[in-house]
């Protein structure tokens, strides 16, 4: 099975439903869900049936379109009010990945732009076009990140990645895994990819190992606590990770454990790259300190993936879903517009990301 044939979030043929691959079932089962109600779409995002920052953005954009076509009013002002309520509701599904609010705001801005000139049915058409553009652009962006990331690779390299920033996390190809898909397309068979399992939700084991193995890449799964010895043994030449929100100074929120990998990479002198589509770069957030870290249910740590509960009942659990890697530990940020090197605030300005001047210390 070619993983690039899997669709993370698309519209049904009649354009009246969102079809997602249920990632909670992987790798055992490939099951698509057809969702029409915004509550179902909210739940699918919340419980990581569709996940990964860019894929969440695409799913939410389609979700907002579907909520819009279910509105019956022909009055533009009432329609736009309702649209904003749907936007706020969908936006509450998860807090850390900026792609969610980015995609939803882009949709409401497209609708708002037609306020004086378009009828409600025409605005609904605009929303459909905007959602489709968000998905198509994401594919093109992933391709560009793939090409730039590939330019950093040498035959035989060992690459460590954390969580899943692959085709399953985007509309296609992924961000951190896009350079690997590019290499495979060019016939490179000798890259060695190490996937952190990524406790507690095991995106590395269930998703990254699944898609890379299916793509024919040389894939090795390690527990999160094996990253150090794997680096120490000289098996890793560089680290590629994705991101959920990159602040204006380059501080980067990504799946919990990423900052630990960055610290290890610095210790062993291994380049650490963040692969970041422009939709994940948040120039309105000055630094990592302002990024909201999602807290998830304790059951994900104590029982979700175990046949029997594996921790004592009632034990205190903390389950932050993301952490922030300080920009000082990041070698480069690979965007579709070019690779940003420190100081990141200046590099982002050069690449055309507008924003407040952030202090880079
Ligand atoms: O909680 P998840 O599985 O949505 O977290 C995903 C990640 O942390 C990814 O690395 C990130 O969203 C980038 S996906 C291209």
């Amino acid at each position: 099975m070619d993983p690039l044939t899997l669709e993370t979030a698309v519209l049904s043929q009649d354009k009246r439903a969102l079809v997602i691959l249920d990632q909670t079932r992987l790798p055992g089962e490939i099951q698509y869900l057809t969702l029409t109600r915004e509550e179902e779409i909210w739940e699918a995002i919340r419980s990581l049936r569709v996940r990964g920052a860019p894929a969440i953005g695409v799913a939410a954009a389609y979700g907002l379109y579907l909520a819009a076509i279910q509105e019956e009013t022909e009055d533009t002002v009432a329609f736009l009010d309702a649209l904003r309520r749907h936007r706020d509701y969908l936006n509450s599904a998860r807090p850390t990945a900026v792609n969610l609010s980015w995609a939803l705001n882009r949709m409401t801005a497209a609708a708002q732009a037609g306020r004086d000139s378009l009828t409600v049915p025409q605005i609904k058409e605009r929303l459909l076009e905007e959602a489709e553009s968000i998905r198509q652009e994401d594919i093109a962006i992933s391709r560009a990140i793939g090409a730039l990331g590939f330019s950093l690779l040498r035959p035989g390299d060992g690459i460590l990645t954390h969580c899943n920033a692959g085709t399953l996390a985007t509309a296609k190809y992924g961000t951190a895994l896009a350079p690997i898909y590019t290499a495979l397309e060019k016939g490179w068979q000798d890259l060695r990819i190490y996937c952190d399992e990524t406790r507690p939700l095991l995106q590395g084991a269930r998703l990254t190992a699944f898609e890379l193995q299916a793509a024919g890449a040389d894939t090795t799964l390690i527990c999160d606590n094996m990253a150090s010895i794997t680096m120490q043994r000289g098996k890793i030449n560089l680290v590629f990770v994705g991101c959920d929100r990159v602040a204006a100074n380059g501080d980067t929120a990504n799946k919990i454990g990423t900052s630990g990998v960055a610290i290890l990479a610095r210790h062993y002198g291994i380049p650490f790259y963040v692969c970041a589509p422009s939709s994940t770069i948040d120039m309105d957030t000055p630094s990592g300190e302002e990024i909201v870290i999602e807290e998830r249910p304790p059951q994900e740590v104590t029982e979700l993936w175990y046949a029997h509960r594996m921790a004592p009942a009632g034990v205190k659990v903390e389950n932050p879903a993301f952490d922030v890697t300080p920009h000082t530990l990041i070698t480069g940020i690979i965007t579709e517009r070019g690779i940003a090197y420190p100081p990141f605030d200046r590099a982002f300005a050069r690449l055309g990301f507008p924003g407040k001047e952030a202090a880079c210390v």
Side-chain angles (χ1 to χ4, degrees), residues 48 51-54 94 163-165 169 175 203 243-244 254-255 322:
L48 276 59
R51 48 141 304 279
R94 297 189 76 186
C163 193
N164 173 266
T175 56
Q203 289 94 331
C243 50
D244 286 79
N254 189 49
K255 180 51 53 192
F322 298 94

Side-chain angles (χ1 to χ4, degrees), residues 144-145 148-149 151-152 239-240 243 246-252 266 271-278 281 283 326-353 360:
I145 289 174
L148 283 166
S151 71
L152 300 169
V239 178
F240 279 159
C243 50
V246 179
N249 70 346
D251 290 352
T252 294
R266 175 60 54 91
F272 179 95
Y273 286 95
V274 171
C275 299
S278 51
I281 297 176
M283 298 301 287
H327 62 270
T328 49
L329 293 177
I330 298 172
T331 308
I333 299 179
I334 307 173
T335 79
E336 75 275 19
R337 301 184 192 171
I339 304 178
Y341 289 101
F344 291 114
D345 52 353
R346 283 197 222 132
F348 287 156
R350 263 198 307 279
L351 292 172
F353 295 105
C360 216

Side-chain angles (χ1 to χ4, degrees), residues 9 27 49 101 103 122 168 178 209 215 227 233-234 247 325 333 346 349:
R49 298 184 196 286
S101 57
Q122 287 170 330
L168 294 167
R233 287 175 169 169
T325 300
I333 299 179
R346 283 197 222 132

Side-chain angles (χ1 to χ4, degrees), residues 146-268:
L148 283 166
F150 175 75
S151 71
L152 300 169
L153 297 175
R154 287 160 308 171
D157 271 351
I159 301 164
L160 178 70
T161 190
H162 191 76
C163 193
N164 173 266
T167 198
L168 294 167
T170 59
K172 211 166 282 293
Y173 302 111
T175 56
L177 302 192
I180 295 156
Y181 283 112
T182 303
L184 288 170
E185 276 173 13
K186 291 184 185 292
W188 286 30
Q189 291 297 331
D190 59 351
L191 292 176
R192 295 166 293 106
I193 322 303
Y194 288 84
C195 319
D196 280 345
E197 65 173 349
T198 317
R199 283 273 291 150
L201 290 182
L202 306 178
Q203 289 94 331
R206 294 186 304 107
L207 308 176
T208 302
F210 162 73
E211 68 167 88
L212 288 181
Q213 191 183 53
D218 178 340
T219 308
T220 304
L221 176 62
I222 59 172
C223 298
D224 298 330
N225 53 9
M226 298 170 190
S228 177
I229 191 170
T230 310
M231 291 181 176
Q232 199 174 50
R233 287 175 169 169
K235 295 184 176 184
I236 306 297
N237 301 96
L238 75 178
V239 178
F240 279 159
V241 295
C243 50
D244 286 79
R245 193 182 294 253
V246 179
N249 70 346
D251 290 352
T252 294
N254 189 49
K255 180 51 53 192
I256 190 73
T258 304
S259 66
V261 177
I263 291 165
L264 290 174
R266 175 60 54 91
H267 178 78
Y268 291 110

